[in-house]
Amino acid sequence: MVSHPLKSLLQLHLASDASSVLHLSSVLSTLSEDSLSPSPHLQKWTSRVTSLIHSKDAGARWAGICIAYRTSSLSKSLMAEFAQSWAGLALSILTKSEPLPLLKASIRYLRHVLSAASDVPELQRQLATPTVPKFGQALASIVEKAADYELKALAMDTLRDMVILYPSLNRASCSSITNMCHQILNGSAPQRTNKLLLHNAAGLYAVLHYTGGKVGAANLWKKSVDETLQCLWAASIGLRTTFPVKNGPLPSSGLTCDDPVLAIALNLDRLQCSAAALCSLLRTTVQRPVQVPIGRVMEFCIFLLACTPDEEKEGHVDATVRALELAVVPELQSSACDLLCCLAKTVQHRLTPYVSRLVVMITYHLEQNPPPERRCALLQCIQDLLSNSFPPSSELSSTRLVKAIMLSLMPLLSIQLDTHAGETGSGQNKKGRKRRRDYEDDGVFKLSKDVICSSTAEEKAIICALDALQVTMRGAGLQSAIRSLACRVMLSLSLSLTAMSRSSLSRDVHLHSLVHAKVNGMCLELARGTTSAMSKSLGLVLRSTVTEGNEHTMHTKLQLQQEVDLLLHPRGPPLVRSLPHVEALSLFRAEESNEELAARTSLALATTYDANVMDDMIDPTIVTPTPEPAPQPVPTHLSMPTPKITAPGPISTPSPVLANQKMTSSITTAPTKDSADISSAISSRQPTKSLMSSSIQMELAPPTVEPRIIPMVVDDDEEEEGMPTIDMESDSDG
């Protein structure tokens, strides 16, 4: 006969205090709702838990609090029956100097019991009313006196929940809690405020207006926002003492510190703490409608974004203070981006009047090629602004923004690898071409392989750039040349990522799948514009539905039906915006317009064709031909065996064959010197009839001929020259 689970636990695991601590994990995993159903062993179980909490051993008390928490979470009836006694014991533990695990377990148990008692009137009257004020005072004391950051963060997080659930019971301690939050949010130097502590302090400060009730909560929230904005202005002015003040008189920092290093560090930390507090105030809920000071917040954000290291006020300036303030300029811009992201998510389309100006300022900072950390913050800000508001109406600002974003994606295009491979392949077939070395200096001893994204910040910047470009491309105010260039870049990324190994992109092999999925999704979105585009986008649709990696499996299954439906019903609902047809997009170099060429050149985007042309123009073996013997006469007809013919010197007059080669941009030759010499001689001296027969002879060549693409370099003057006349009466044999 199988014994009851509680009986086995009491006899084997909880027989002594030492065994209770040793087998605590087994006890917690064995307990279930069925085991706590009414039985003869239930009374013995609760008595044993109470005795453990009363034990003199700290480990046994910790085990008793943990078992009480598990029992209360599985059985609400047992919680209501024993919560009053167990909560009193746990509250007494918080007022003593106990070990850290015991304090954390007691805080979690009291938070669970008081949160579950909010919907039971009897528990509210018997348990919550006398316990919540004492619990709040104990938590505030722990925050002020404890040294462990995790314990402080847990205490503030629990106090935040208590203020939300029982605002009237915490009204008496609101002033002390506010002073505690101000002490943390005022910053510290030289060591910065702990991020975990800052996050929880800002969250607690943002819910203190609940203590004002339905009528006074709005006024308390507005007062907190005004005080936080004043602190932000004071801290920012303390960081710009060596820069000219553009606005009127602003509040001083209020910090009297003789050491400039400590003053700047304290102002910077205070600025970041106040920014976190303002973000928490914007994200919190208020019981009645309130007016958000969008104009004042935007004025401050624009002030931070306008901070550049180029300005300097007149008069004497301390060099040390100047250097320190120049070093914190990127931190000011990052704080502005954080505030703008939070404001865009909270007020959404009400931020539209400021979007055009913000886009211009952020685009300027992106064009300065900032470090990956700052670039990621700027790109994330652009994504949040354009996702939650209407896009800018200016075509120039949208065009500049797309070009600035695409600069962050350039490392993904393996131009150097492809160009180097093309050079190596062409160099092996051309005789006399200079060999390329695969390494220089100590490169032969290098064992590790470089990756494109060598840090986490660079990986995050690539992801943010893709998201920002996707949101920006949805706007209508964009030049057709830049839109076409962006489409070509995305298609190039899709092709280059396929041929790129996972380890060459990043040390995190999962990044390749994530980036590839985002690029394919963007290509598919760009192809959804019209039915003519969708009819030619079958490969994009199929590629977007098949992704590698387990992290995209569920996402692929959810979108499979929708993307297959695009193939069956490509029209879909009517589009609000009009996208160009596929014919308007120049997907080949021959269709590239002058505007696209100028934009591609400004972005330093070079194709393999451009690289080969530059090599042909720079390579001395091409510019200065090798002296050859005098050319021999070429027979009129090629029916007889072809004699050995050497190539003549450079010819200034273009021939019909050269014009034909310019139009086709490629020729087929054999990898031997004789055939190359024959082609050169024929193209320079043979008349039209012999040219036709020679072309027929070359088409009937054996299949051992290796095709190779040779780009033709033709000057503009040669393109404007007309077709040269051929004297048919002249004797070619003579």
Side-chain angles (χ1 to χ4, degrees):
M1 182 178 179
V2 180
S3 61
H4 197 274
L6 293 182
K7 181 180 179 181
S8 302
L9 292 176
L10 289 171
Q11 292 179 352
L12 301 177
H13 297 82
L14 304 180
S16 63
D17 293 349
S19 63
S20 301
V21 178
L22 183 61
H23 302 98
L24 178 61
S25 59
S26 301
V27 173
L28 297 179
S29 60
T30 305
L31 283 178
S32 62
E33 296 182 3
D34 297 336
S35 61
L36 294 176
S37 58
S39 65
H41 307 282
L42 195 58
Q43 185 64 30
K44 298 179 182 179
W45 176 263
T46 54
S47 300
R48 181 54 181 158
V49 172
T50 306
S51 65
L52 286 174
I53 300 176
H54 278 286
S55 177
K56 295 181 179 180
D57 184 21
R61 293 198 300 271
W62 170 69
I65 291 293
C66 293
I67 296 174
Y69 178 85
R70 181 64 174 170
T71 302
S72 301
S73 61
L74 293 176
S75 176
K76 195 169 186 178
S77 60
L78 289 177
M79 181 199 70
E81 183 177 356
F82 295 93
Q84 192 169 0
S85 61
W86 290 348
L89 295 174
L91 188 61
S92 64
I93 292 175
L94 296 179
T95 58
K96 301 176 184 178
S97 179
E98 297 287 352
L100 189 62
L102 182 56
L103 293 175
K104 291 183 178 180
S106 301
I107 292 174
R108 292 190 179 98
Y109 170 74
L110 287 172
R111 180 172 62 177
H112 171 72
V113 171
L114 293 174
S115 301
S118 60
D119 58 346
V120 182
E122 184 178 357
L123 283 178
Q124 285 188 3
R125 180 176 56 86
Q126 297 179 358
L127 179 65
T129 302
T131 306
V132 168
K134 299 177 183 179
F135 187 39
Q137 294 176 3
L139 292 175
S141 177
I142 289 176
V143 173
E144 294 177 356
K145 298 179 181 179
D148 185 72
Y149 287 128
E150 293 184 358
L151 180 60
K152 286 185 174 183
L154 178 61
M156 285 189 292
D157 192 22
T158 305
L159 190 56
R160 174 181 176 272
D161 294 341
M162 293 298 104
V163 171
I164 295 175
L165 291 175
Y166 304 100
S168 59
L169 297 177
N170 290 280
R171 187 174 302 168
S173 59
C174 179
S175 59
S176 61
I177 297 175
T178 303
N179 295 333
M180 179 189 66
C181 293
H182 283 166
Q183 185 178 2
I184 298 175
L185 296 177
N186 278 336
S188 63
Q191 186 178 3
R192 291 190 178 184
T193 306
N194 183 266
K195 291 185 178 180
L196 181 61
L197 194 63
L198 171 61
H199 175 73
N200 288 274
L204 175 60
Y205 181 70
V207 299
L208 290 178
H209 65 274
Y210 278 84
T211 58
K214 294 183 178 179
V215 179
N219 295 329
L220 289 178
W221 181 85
K222 183 179 179 181
K223 180 182 177 182
S224 300
V225 172
D226 294 341
E227 292 177 354
T228 306
L229 279 174
Q230 186 177 2
C231 292
L232 284 170
W233 276 112
S236 61
I237 293 303
L239 296 172
R240 305 286 291 177
T241 57
T242 60
F243 294 86
V245 180
K246 300 180 181 179
N247 300 328
L250 296 172
S252 60
S253 60
L255 300 174
T256 58
C257 185
D258 297 333
D259 190 358
V261 178
L262 292 179
I264 292 178
L266 185 57
N267 279 315
L268 179 60
D269 190 62
R270 188 179 184 185
L271 174 68
Q272 295 177 347
C273 293
S274 301
L278 183 58
C279 292
S280 299
L281 287 169
L282 292 174
R283 285 192 294 262
T284 190
T285 56
V286 186
Q287 295 177 347
R288 292 190 176 183
V290 294
Q291 292 183 354
V292 181
I294 301 178
R296 296 174 57 191
V297 178
M298 286 304 306
E299 181 184 1
F300 178 72
C301 293
I302 291 175
F303 170 77
L304 293 183
L305 284 178
C307 294
T308 57
D310 302 330
E311 303 174 344
E312 184 177 358
K313 72 176 185 179
E314 299 179 356
H316 174 71
V317 175
D318 190 355
T320 303
V321 178
R322 175 68 178 178
L324 292 174
E325 292 184 356
L326 287 176
V328 300
V329 170
E331 300 290 342
L332 301 181
Q333 298 173 2
S334 300
S335 300
C337 292
D338 295 338
L339 285 175
L340 287 174
C341 292
C342 180
L343 191 63
K345 294 177 181 178
T346 52
V347 301
Q348 295 183 351
H349 64 275
R350 298 176 182 86
L351 207 63
T352 302
Y354 305 93
V355 169
S356 299
R357 185 176 181 183
L358 292 174
V359 166
V360 172
M361 300 180 73
I362 296 176
T363 303
Y364 168 77
H365 291 300
L366 286 174
E367 291 174 348
Q368 306 307 313
N369 193 18
E373 293 81 3
R374 278 187 56 206
R375 190 187 312 126
C376 182
L378 294 170
L379 293 172
Q380 184 66 39
C381 183
I382 281 291
Q383 179 190 358
D384 292 336
L385 285 175
L386 299 183
S387 300
N388 297 281
S389 61
F390 298 105
S393 57
S394 176
E395 182 178 348
L396 178 60
S397 60
S398 300
T399 302
R400 285 184 58 194
L401 178 60
V402 171
K403 294 172 64 176
I405 295 175
M406 284 194 296
L407 286 175
S408 302
L409 300 176
M410 293 304 102
L412 293 180
L413 291 174
S414 55
I415 300 177
Q416 297 179 356
L417 297 177
D418 296 340
T419 305
H420 181 72
E423 292 173 353
T424 304
S426 59
Q428 293 176 355
N429 294 332
K430 287 185 177 181
K431 184 177 181 179
R433 176 178 289 272
K434 186 179 181 180
R435 292 181 176 272
R436 312 288 187 190
R437 294 183 179 272
D438 293 337
Y439 58 88
E440 294 181 359
D441 298 336
D442 298 334
V444 68
F445 303 106
K446 189 174 182 180
L447 300 179
S448 62
K449 182 172 63 176
D450 295 335
V451 294
I452 297 177
C453 301
S454 58
S455 62
T456 307
E458 294 180 356
E459 298 174 2
K460 192 175 180 181
I462 293 294
I463 300 298
C464 292
L466 291 174
D467 295 336
L469 183 61
Q470 184 177 14
V471 176
T472 309
M473 291 292 292
R474 294 171 182 171
L478 192 63
Q479 293 181 2
S480 58
I482 300 300
R483 183 181 295 275
S484 176
L485 179 62
C487 295
R488 294 168 59 191
V489 169
M490 296 312 300
L491 289 175
S492 300
L493 286 177
S494 180
L495 295 175
S496 63
L497 287 172
T498 306
M500 184 186 302
S501 62
R502 294 174 177 265
S503 59
S504 62
L505 179 60
S506 172
R507 294 182 178 88
D508 184 9
V509 294
H510 301 287
L511 181 67
H512 186 276
S513 300
L514 181 60
V515 173
H516 198 189
K518 283 183 176 293
V519 170
N520 289 336
M522 291 181 61
C523 293
L524 180 60
E525 182 177 347
L526 294 173
R528 289 181 180 180
T530 57
T531 56
S532 60
M534 282 305 303
S535 62
K536 302 178 181 180
S537 303
L538 177 61
L540 291 177
V541 175
L542 296 179
R543 184 177 297 176
S544 63
T545 56
V546 180
T547 55
E548 299 180 2
N550 296 328
E551 63 273 11
H552 300 294
T553 303
M554 297 304 299
H555 180 69
T556 302
K557 290 182 179 178
L558 292 177
Q559 289 191 345
L560 180 60
Q561 182 178 1
Q562 176 186 0
E563 294 176 348
V564 171
D565 186 68
L566 289 174
L567 298 176
L568 302 178
H569 308 285
R571 292 185 178 183
L575 293 174
V576 179
R577 56 186 173 87
S578 59
L579 292 180
H581 292 266
V582 71
E583 292 81 5
L585 304 177
S586 58
L587 302 180
F588 302 95
R589 185 186 55 80
E591 303 172 357
E592 189 176 35
S593 61
N594 295 332
E595 292 81 0
E596 286 188 69
L597 179 60
R600 182 169 61 83
T601 306
S602 63
L603 293 174
L605 285 174
T607 60
T608 308
Y609 172 82
D610 299 333
N612 291 335
V613 168
M614 295 300 298
D615 290 341
D616 293 339
M617 296 177 63
I618 296 175
D619 199 333
T621 59
I622 302 299
V623 176
T624 306
T626 305
E628 298 289 343
Q632 299 179 3
V634 182
T636 305
H637 302 285
L638 297 179
S639 56
M640 63 183 63
T642 305
K644 182 176 181 180
I645 305 173
T646 58
I651 301 174
S652 59
T653 304
S655 63
V657 177
L658 287 176
N660 190 18
Q661 290 174 354
K662 173 183 174 299
M663 297 176 58
T664 58
S665 72
S666 63
I667 59 174
T668 304
T669 59
T672 58
K673 181 178 183 300
D674 297 341
S675 59
D677 296 339
I678 292 174
S679 301
S680 178
I682 291 177
S683 61
S684 60
R685 296 189 177 186
Q686 197 172 3
T688 306
K689 184 175 180 180
S690 61
L691 290 176
M692 295 177 58
S693 60
S694 63
S695 62
I696 296 175
Q697 181 71 17
M698 293 177 66
E699 290 179 359
L700 297 178
T704 58
V705 177
E706 180 182 357
R708 180 165 55 92
I709 299 176
I710 304 177
M712 303 299 298
V713 182
V714 182
D715 297 336
D716 296 338
D717 298 338
E718 295 183 2
E719 292 182 358
E720 296 178 358
E721 292 184 5
M723 182 68 68
T725 57
I726 301 176
D727 189 3
M728 301 299 297
E729 296 180 359
S730 62
D731 190 3
S732 60
D733 295 335

